[in-house]
Amino acid sequence: MAINNSIALAKAYLPLIDEVYKRESLTSRFDYTSERVRFIGADTVQVYKATMDGLANYGRNTGFVQGSVNGAWETMKLNEDRGVSLSVDVMDNDETLGMAFGTLLSQFLRTQVVPELDAYRFAQMASFAGIGKADETDITVGTTDVAEMLDVADQTMGDAEVPIDGRICFMSEKCYAGLKENISRYLGNEGRVSRDVTTYNGMPIVRVPKNRFNTAITLNDGTSEFGYKIPATTSKPINFLIVHPSSIVQIVKHVVPRIFSPEVNQTMDAWKLDYRVYHDIFQYENKQSGIYLSAAKTANT
């Protein structure tokens, strides 16, 4: 294969990386690109926060009471700098007509990067201070009234003046199965039976696999293990997590997928993928009630 053709093929893989992430990630919808965030230094971002006074008595002789609006940049440090280098021998790739490296890209994003990012973000949101929390409950399908649990969450967030529009309910598969038990079967178009629940009281429901949905995870450093794991006894499965996007700041500062063809790779006769992502998620201190957590009572084992 000519060098220029190899380079062209490497460039062609890059859109695939972005496409797979956007399709598979459950939390990419929160990626923050607003001008209210600015980057300073290598590992620090600043988020603009504004506070203002409320109403006061108006005096017919004295007029308005002078209030104030205060704005400041809050500094937040990104904590997670993750990456890996993967290689596919040129002969393995040739013998599969280029499928080996192409498969590596899509599988790596779908099975490694996306689950870790989602798992980290959900665990962080569950650990934030001041969020709404339900009594810890182990879901028993057919017994636990999930709909009632959602109604309590809805009331709690409503009393805290969290906007109704925009709330998203992330839900475990087990909790979702419990919710469906509260929903009667109905006939849809062409007589098809469906119990799919895509919204609850106008709130979208997003189903989350259990390996991404826990109150704590451990990120492996790559010395003996890669990726992440769910620690036993110190982590509990999440039943559901209701999030209003305005309550969090999710930053993906640096994503570098670098692809090297065998002609460029100086260490191996192989296609090489270097992938690095620098990211973190934070909460607004004055919007802590924009997250509501229902976790299981029994820890992971």
Side-chain angles (χ1 to χ4, degrees), residues 30-46:
F30 297 137
D31 287 351
Y32 210 82
T33 58
S34 170
E35 293 180 355
R36 294 172 62 194
V37 172
R38 67 184 182 187
F39 301 103
I40 58 172
D43 61 355
T44 305
V45 296
Q46 288 186 323

Side-chain angles (χ1 to χ4, degrees), residues 39 42-45 76-80 251-254 278-282:
F39 301 103
D43 61 355
T44 305
V45 296
M76 300 176 175
K77 185 175 181 179
L78 302 180
N79 292 311
E80 301 308 326
I251 307 293
V252 181
K253 181 180 180 182
H254 189 60
Y278 202 12
H279 72 102
D280 217 329
I281 183 171
F282 310 96

Side-chain angles (χ1 to χ4, degrees), residues 172-247:
S172 72
E173 292 290 351
K174 187 174 185 179
C175 188
Y176 179 77
L179 176 62
K180 289 201 300 181
E181 288 298 313
N182 301 119
I183 307 299
S184 300
R185 285 183 172 87
Y186 64 90
L187 294 178
N189 294 334
E190 301 177 359
R192 296 175 181 174
V193 176
S194 175
R195 289 199 304 163
D196 289 339
V197 183
T198 58
T199 61
Y200 187 83
N201 290 341
M203 180 172 55
I205 292 177
V206 179
R207 296 157 61 179
V208 186
K210 62 181 180 180
N211 68 312
R212 305 188 199 183
F213 214 38
N214 298 275
T215 59
I217 66 168
T218 299
L219 297 176
N220 298 319
D221 61 12
T223 55
S224 59
E225 294 182 83
F226 291 84
Y228 73 96
K229 60 185 176 183
I230 302 168
T233 71
T234 60
S235 177
K236 297 181 178 180
I238 297 174
N239 298 323
F240 63 83
L241 192 70
I242 300 176
V243 182
H244 195 282
S246 65
S247 67

